[in-house]
Amino acid sequence: MELTKYNHATVVLEQDGATLVIDPGTFTPEAADLVRRATAVLVTHEHADHFDVDAIRSGLDANESLVVRGPAGVVEQLGEHGGRVAAVRAGDAFEVGPFSVQVFGEEHAVIHRDIPTIANVGFLVNGAVFHPGDAYLVPGVPVQTLLVPTSGPWAYTAAGVDYVREVAPERAIQIHELLLSDAGQQMNVRMLGTEGLGGVPTTILQVGETATV
């Protein structure tokens, strides 16, 4: 597969002419175009930086073959669109085009005790790439490429290091970085990487940059 990184949490996977968009959020200016051309969209949770409601609604209207999967709250906001939008939860598995997807996890990381916790799932695509959304979800199965969040009101470096150690992927790619300066991103990646505490080769992909996964 080819993985292209976009702003913050949005990534696009391509294989055999099919396109899978994960977490097209409002921080991603290209979200509407990416969704419109997609084979499928996966949404980890309903926070706006991962879930641009208007972009996905527009894509569903423009592309009659587009399917969307996410937690129940996502379906409630979009509607079912004749079954093309459906809820998933931990333990589910499904196929769309050349992509096999397994679903893990249940809840968003705690931001603060005064803020209610919402549903959050992680997606493992083709047994290779794991997107955890906004949580340090450990799937408990081998992961080749872990998309590791490095910023947010719930994220912190020590937990990120322990997360990478526990998942023990072959490699990690930074996501969810928009709240960090360039210096902050470099620091986090050094901490997570082979020369730091995480011990896993960790990469920063710039917006629009592609890697084979």
Side-chain angles (χ1 to χ4, degrees), residues 94-116:
F94 58 92
E95 294 186 1
V96 55
F99 303 106
S100 295
V101 183
Q102 296 170 267
V103 185
F104 297 86
E106 297 179 356
E107 291 189 341
H108 192 287
V110 174
I111 297 172
H112 188 274
R113 63 179 179 273
D114 292 348
I115 299 176

Side-chain angles (χ1 to χ4, degrees), residues 44-132:
T44 63
H45 66 286
E46 57 189 290
H47 284 161
D49 57 327
H50 295 250
F51 177 43
D52 186 331
V53 180
D54 292 337
I56 298 178
R57 282 178 179 157
S58 175
L60 286 163
D61 291 339
N63 179 355
E64 294 184 355
S65 63
L66 176 67
V67 298
V68 180
R69 300 290 183 264
V74 168
V75 180
E76 290 171 6
Q77 294 190 54
L78 292 174
E80 295 184 359
H81 289 263
R84 290 191 291 143
V85 181
V88 293
R89 60 184 180 179
D92 288 345
F94 58 92
E95 294 186 1
V96 55
F99 303 106
S100 295
V101 183
Q102 296 170 267
V103 185
F104 297 86
E106 297 179 356
E107 291 189 341
H108 192 287
V110 174
I111 297 172
H112 188 274
R113 63 179 179 273
D114 292 348
I115 299 176
T117 302
I118 64 170
N120 177 97
V121 297
F123 296 106
L124 180 64
V125 181
N126 287 351
V129 177
F130 186 61
H131 192 311

Side-chain angles (χ1 to χ4, degrees), residues 114-168:
D114 292 348
I115 299 176
T117 302
I118 64 170
N120 177 97
V121 297
F123 296 106
L124 180 64
V125 181
N126 287 351
V129 177
F130 186 61
H131 192 311
D134 275 7
Y136 295 120
L137 292 178
V138 178
V141 298
V143 172
Q144 293 177 20
T145 300
L146 174 65
L147 305 179
V148 58
T150 58
S151 76
W154 56 274
Y156 58 104
T157 303
V161 167
D162 289 342
Y163 178 52
V164 168
R165 286 177 171 179
E166 189 168 1
V167 177

Side-chain angles (χ1 to χ4, degrees), residues 143-146 148 160-173 188-203:
V143 172
Q144 293 177 20
T145 300
L146 174 65
V148 58
V161 167
D162 289 342
Y163 178 52
V164 168
R165 286 177 171 179
E166 189 168 1
V167 177
E170 295 179 14
R171 67 186 293 194
I173 295 174
N188 270 285
V189 167
R190 284 195 302 272
M191 292 285 283
L192 298 172
T194 52
E195 297 181 1
L197 297 171
V200 170
T202 303
T203 303

